[in-house]
Amino acid sequence: MVRFLVVPQWQGSPAARAMLLVDGASAIAGDLPRARTTTLDVPVEAGESLGTGVHRLSSLLRTRELVREHLTDEYTVLIGGDCSITVAALDALPGGNDDLAVVWCDAHADMNTPETSPSGAFSGMALRAILGEGEPQLALTAPLPRDRIVSVGMRALDDAEVDEISSFTHLQVADLDDTDALLDAVRATGASRVWVHIDVDVLDPAEIAGVSDPAPFGLTPAALASAIRRLRDELPLAGATVSGFAPRTPADAVDDLGAILRLIGAVA
């Protein structure tokens, strides 16, 4: 049975209104089964960079500890908050990462380091940290190789990220017209388990308004959900993340929740 872990972390986001991520996580939590949902008491304060190039590092490290304390052998879907919570989950994943592939569904590459980041925000470094690179206090201790990363819908890159993603398997929006495309890409990695990370900005702005940095020409919830369900038919999910929901008003949250709950249904 699925368990939901709500992690309303905002400190990894570069957005001017990053704390809207807390509202988004709360809105999603309201539609989850209460008996199967735990909301972490993450830091509210911004935190300090602690002499590094990562803004708000002290709060990020505290949230990481909380995720580690609460992640169990049960199949868990994390609800964010900013998308860097996936790094915390993978660092604490029961069974480790040796047989794991990561499907990174995100409009952005999240492949910066403290040296290349235009913002200093950790969410823009999250995938790089999964590879074991960047700030050592946040990078995975058991990193994934690049050939076990499958990106989906990535289309808004910083200049410094372009070369860094060249060795990934990329699925563009049109590729998901074939429902088997995601399954085939993950099978090609040789992994026997999969973590599916979804930043909801992978969706087209016409499908969802509550994101901080929308990118045009994204996926539909139906296409992404179908691809994930097909993947789950054949390979076990080690866990999943649904993150990046930042509605500006309660009414906007209600308008967007249908799309988000469709994605949660696919991974859960």
Side-chain angles (χ1 to χ4, degrees):
M1 184 177 291
V2 67
R3 176 172 172 254
F4 296 98
L5 193 60
V6 180
V7 190
Q9 174 185 278
W10 63 271
Q11 291 91 341
S13 171
R17 300 184 181 185
M19 291 193 72
L20 291 176
L21 292 165
V22 178
D23 298 334
S26 297
I28 296 171
D31 275 332
L32 300 177
R34 184 172 300 180
R36 303 297 301 168
T37 302
T38 300
T39 299
L40 297 189
D41 187 16
V42 304
V44 176
E45 66 274 9
E48 303 293 335
S49 63
L50 304 179
T52 71
V54 179
H55 293 179
R56 310 166 183 148
L57 176 63
S58 60
S59 289
L60 297 171
L61 291 173
R62 176 56 186 147
T63 298
R64 191 181 184 113
E65 293 172 1
L66 290 170
V67 171
R68 178 175 292 279
E69 291 168 6
H70 287 84
L71 205 64
T72 69
D73 289 333
E74 285 187 277
Y75 176 73
T76 301
V77 175
L78 271 70
I79 304 296
D82 73 72
C83 67
S84 66
I85 63 173
T86 296
V87 185
L90 294 182
D91 200 54
L93 185 64
N97 300 330
D98 288 346
D99 61 343
L100 188 74
V102 169
V103 173
W104 196 262
C105 307
D106 198 319
H108 305 90
D110 298 341
M111 279 290 289
N112 278 298
T113 65
E115 292 72 31
T116 67
S117 172
S119 67
F122 183 53
S123 64
M125 312 177 201
L127 186 51
R128 194 71 176 265
I130 288 171
L131 304 176
E133 301 171 11
E135 169 53 46
Q137 295 177 81
L138 294 170
L140 287 195
T141 53
L144 268 73
R146 279 170 161 77
D147 62 5
R148 281 197 267 127
I149 304 294
V150 177
S151 75
V152 177
M154 196 178 283
R155 57 195 186 277
L157 307 179
D158 294 328
D159 290 344
E161 297 175 308
V162 175
D163 289 341
E164 293 295 337
I165 67 169
S166 60
S167 57
F168 295 166
T169 298
H170 296 284
L171 296 178
Q172 300 302 328
V173 171
D175 292 325
L176 265 63
D177 291 343
D178 177 0
T179 307
D180 285 338
L182 180 57
L183 171 62
D184 292 344
V186 174
R187 275 179 170 162
T189 69
S192 56
R193 298 186 302 154
V194 190
W195 188 284
V196 174
H197 165 93
I198 303 171
D199 184 331
V200 296
D201 68 16
V202 75
L203 300 177
D204 191 84
E207 302 286 346
I208 185 168
V211 298
S212 298
D213 189 11
F217 311 116
L219 287 159
T220 66
L224 183 55
S226 295
I228 292 170
R229 289 183 185 279
R230 181 71 183 106
L231 175 65
R232 290 193 69 192
D233 285 344
E234 302 293 334
L235 289 172
L237 265 59
T241 308
V242 177
S243 64
F245 185 39
R248 291 180 178 270
T249 67
D252 287 346
V254 171
D255 289 343
D256 287 339
L257 275 172
I260 291 172
L261 293 175
R262 187 166 194 166
L263 299 179
I264 291 174
V267 297

